[in-house]
Amino acid sequence: MKVAFLGDVHGCVLHALGAAVLLARHRRIRLDAVIQVGDLGAFPSAERWDEPSRRFGAEGPAQSDFFRLLDPSSRLGEGVRMALGEIPPLLFLSGNHEDHEWLAGLHRGRGAVTPVDPLGVFQHVVCGHIAEVAGQRVAFLGRVELDGYMDLDPDAHDRLLAAEPGSVDVLVTHDGPYGMSSWRGVTQGSRKLSRLIERLQPRLHVSGHYHHQNGPRRYGATVSYALAQLIPPKRDLRDSTPVNPRQRVAPGSIGLFDTRTLDFEYVHDSWLAEVRGDRLDLAALIGGASSG
C-alpha cells in the first residue's frame, strides 16, 4: 500500500488536493491514504486567523482557499469531487496554526476523526488517537512543545507514552524531535517527542512545522523525516527577497511511503511545478492533467 504525507499547508488546500491527485497519476499508483502533518490552516473565517496567518495570508491569496472550501462554489465542488474520485479523503492533525477551539467543537458527538468541510475531503484527527490506516497502526500527536494554547496535549502525550513499545507502526506529529536542526543558533525540536519516539520505537516518524526537508534521522529502530512547507511564501517578509513568487508546490513537501517495502522518499518530481498560482482552479488542473 502507498501512503502520501503532505507538509504544512497553511490554507492552500486546493494545492494540496491537486498535488495528491497528480502524485497518484504521474507515479501510476493508488494512494491508500493521504496524511497531512498539521498547520492545514483550519480556521472557520479570516477573522479567526492568528497573527502569523493574517500576515502571510495578506501576501498569499491561496491561504484563504480553506474558507472557499467551507462554502464551495459549484466549480470548486466539481474539482473536489473529481479529486475524491482518485484519492481518499485527507487526514490531518492539529498544527500550531489552527483554530483549536473550533476543531474541538466539530468533534463533539462525532468521535476521534471528523470532516471539517461540507464535502468531507479533509478529516481532522484528535491528538493521541491511534488508528489503522493503510494496514498500519498510526498514532497522531499534533501541536508543538510550547507553553500556551498550542502546547502538546498532556493527556494525549501521556496516553501514547503509556503504549507498549512496538505497538505503533507510524507516528505522525506536527513538531519534530529535539535536535533535528537549529535556527539562528537555537536548537529546534521537542524533548517530549524525542522521549515518545524512544519509547514507542515506530518504524516511521513523519513531522512538519519547520518548513524544510530534514531526514532521514535515526532514533533506534525509528527512521524520522520532516517535510517542507507545501507552498512557501512569495517572499521573505524580513527583507523582501523573492522565495516562491509563482506559488508552486515545493520539492520535499510531500513524502511517499510504501508499506510493503517500508521505503520512504521525498517527492522532487518536476510536475510539482504544475500545481501553482494564487487562485488555483482545481477542476481545470485535474481535468487537464496528463498521466505523465
Side-chain angles (χ1 to χ4, degrees):
M1 293 186 175
K2 304 292 195 304
V3 181
F5 293 89
L6 306 183
D8 295 22
V9 168
H10 292 288
C12 302
V13 290
L14 304 186
H15 290 73
L17 291 173
V21 170
L22 264 60
L23 172 63
R25 287 187 182 180
H26 283 278
R27 294 296 186 94
R28 294 185 172 88
I29 58 175
R30 185 186 77 174
L31 291 177
D32 297 283
V34 183
I35 300 174
Q36 196 276 324
V37 299
D39 278 2
L40 181 73
F43 293 87
S45 67
E47 289 71 29
R48 297 278 291 184
W49 261 346
D50 56 23
E51 183 52 39
S53 299
R54 188 172 294 108
R55 188 168 66 251
F56 282 96
E59 291 283 320
Q63 294 201 23
S64 296
D65 283 349
F66 184 79
F67 309 134
R68 296 173 59 200
L69 193 66
L70 295 182
D71 185 20
S73 66
S74 58
R75 178 67 172 177
L76 178 55
E78 177 189 1
V80 171
R81 283 187 284 272
M82 291 169 65
L84 286 175
E86 301 189 41
I87 60 172
L90 281 69
L91 301 173
F92 76 101
L93 66 165
S94 296
N96 55 305
H97 297 297
E98 328 277 6
D99 191 323
H100 302 303
E101 292 181 4
W102 178 67
L103 289 172
L106 294 179
H107 281 278
R108 294 191 185 106
R110 297 186 183 181
V113 182
T114 188
V116 299
D117 63 274
L119 298 173
V121 68
F122 285 95
Q123 303 193 359
H124 182 253
V125 184
V126 298
C127 292
H129 185 56
I130 301 175
E132 183 168 318
V133 179
Q136 303 290 295
R137 292 279 291 171
V138 181
F140 298 82
L141 185 62
R143 307 196 185 196
V144 296
E145 186 177 342
L146 183 67
D147 289 342
Y149 79 99
M150 65 180 65
D151 197 8
L152 297 175
D153 183 315
D155 292 335
H157 176 262
D158 289 348
R159 284 199 305 275
L160 292 180
L161 201 60
E164 288 297 316
S167 62
V168 168
D169 300 310
V170 179
L171 174 63
V172 185
T173 65
H174 182 61
D175 205 347
Y178 184 77
M180 60 173 289
S181 59
S182 63
W183 184 70
R184 294 185 176 180
V186 176
T187 301
Q188 295 179 308
S190 163
R191 294 183 187 276
K192 290 180 180 179
L193 289 183
S194 294
R195 290 193 292 271
L196 182 61
I197 292 172
E198 290 166 0
R199 163 69 180 177
L200 289 180
Q201 288 291 282
R203 290 192 291 256
L204 176 68
H205 168 250
V206 185
S207 65
H209 184 53
Y210 297 102
H211 291 185
H212 61 272
Q213 177 181 316
N214 190 310
R217 303 180 310 281
R218 294 190 177 273
Y219 301 86
T222 302
V223 186
S224 177
Y225 299 85
L227 298 169
Q229 182 179 2
L230 191 79
I231 309 294
K234 290 186 175 183
R235 62 187 179 93
D236 189 324
L237 295 187
R238 293 168 298 180
D239 58 14
S240 294
T241 303
V243 176
N244 186 24
R246 300 192 69 185
Q247 293 294 269
R248 292 172 166 172
V249 172
S253 65
I254 301 174
L256 184 61
F257 178 53
D258 187 320
T259 66
R260 182 181 63 83
T261 64
L262 305 182
D263 290 332
F264 181 100
E265 66 168 303
Y266 288 109
V267 176
H268 284 209
D269 300 1
S270 60
W271 57 260
L272 291 171
E274 299 173 20
V275 188
R276 63 180 183 267
D278 286 335
R279 302 191 182 280
L280 182 68
D281 186 334
L282 184 64
L285 176 71
I286 296 176
S290 68
S291 59

